[in-house]
Amino acid sequence: MRSLNTGHPRRSISKELTDKCSGQVEYVMGMYALLFVLVMALVSLQILQYKADSDIAEDALAASCLAALDIDPYRYGLDHELVINDPAHAREIFEEALRGNMCLEADMSPCEEEASYIAGKVDIDDFRIYLVEGDSVTEYTVSEYGITESTGTYGNVKTPSGLAVRSAGAYAKISFDTYGIFGVRIRACKEAYAEMLGKTGP
């Protein structure tokens, strides 16, 4: 008597389900791995862009501080002393230079036609002029409300950022909203000190 079960043995249903589930798990894991790589690449690009924008802001601020060093050329030609006669005017020069270097409107907000990293107005939090005469250093803190003057000894006076004052210089600190990772707005603060070296110290 011949057996009716003479063909190939049937594949186990449980084995087919196991193979199918295994393939689906590999597919899902692959998709998650690809998604993770894409997110990491996006974050890296955002960080690089944020670093580039930060460098641009720092360079613009440093250049504006340098522009504010409105040295009296007659006095320098006479006795080689670096003197800024009008600290208030120096701040005006700084603000004008900052608007040009950071593409800002008169109210310190970013120009609309420029693709800017600045999200709102730029605030000048601190601006100071330093003058050195002999062993004395005079600090002028210039705000929109007026000028505050203080005096210290050469070698002991430092800017708020911790740099020693050696000659006539300008210090500034600004803050503004900028775009962080994934477009989140964060507050950025930048400070710079520019100094014009001539005759230094007593």
Side-chain angles (χ1 to χ4, degrees):
M1 189 173 177
R2 296 179 63 186
S3 171
L4 297 177
N5 192 15
T6 57
H8 293 290
R10 290 186 178 181
R11 191 173 184 184
S12 170
I13 296 176
S14 62
K15 182 172 178 55
E16 289 181 1
L17 290 174
T18 300
D19 292 344
K20 187 175 181 181
C21 290
S22 176
Q24 288 178 343
V25 169
E26 290 176 0
Y27 175 77
V28 171
M29 292 299 293
M31 290 298 294
Y32 273 117
L34 179 60
L35 183 62
F36 176 76
V37 171
L38 290 175
V39 169
M40 290 302 296
L42 180 60
V43 170
S44 298
L45 288 174
Q46 288 279 330
I47 291 174
L48 289 174
Q49 182 63 51
Y50 184 75
K51 180 66 169 62
D53 292 341
S54 176
D55 292 342
I56 291 172
E58 288 175 359
D59 291 343
L61 181 59
S64 301
C65 284
L66 190 60
L69 295 177
D70 187 25
I71 302 299
D72 183 350
Y74 177 77
R75 178 70 183 273
Y76 185 73
L78 197 64
D79 56 13
H80 296 288
E81 290 290 337
L82 297 171
V83 176
I84 299 173
N85 291 325
D86 190 351
H89 182 59
R91 174 168 172 138
E92 292 175 4
I93 296 174
F94 167 77
E95 291 182 6
E96 183 178 353
L98 188 66
R99 283 193 290 268
N101 291 330
M102 297 186 75
C103 299
L104 303 175
E105 299 283 4
D107 64 349
M108 305 301 284
S109 61
C111 297
E112 293 182 1
E113 64 271 15
E114 296 289 338
S116 179
Y117 53 90
I118 304 170
K121 288 182 61 176
V122 174
D123 294 323
I124 301 175
D125 300 323
D126 199 353
F127 181 79
R128 305 183 188 207
I129 290 293
Y130 293 92
L131 295 178
V132 175
E133 186 174 359
D135 60 354
S136 176
V137 178
T138 304
E139 177 188 73
Y140 299 93
T141 302
V142 187
S143 70
E144 55 185 357
Y145 305 108
I147 301 175
T148 304
E149 180 180 341
S150 61
T151 305
T153 305
Y154 184 86
N156 294 327
V157 177
K158 295 183 178 181
T159 68
S161 58
L163 297 175
V165 176
R166 299 169 295 173
S167 185
Y171 165 86
K173 180 180 179 181
I174 62 173
S175 62
F176 54 90
D177 286 342
T178 187
Y179 300 104
I181 297 177
F182 303 120
V184 178
R185 287 176 63 149
I186 58 175
R187 194 70 177 171
C189 293
K190 298 293 178 184
E191 57 184 343
Y193 177 59
E195 194 171 62
M196 192 170 282
L197 293 179
K199 180 182 177 182
T200 59

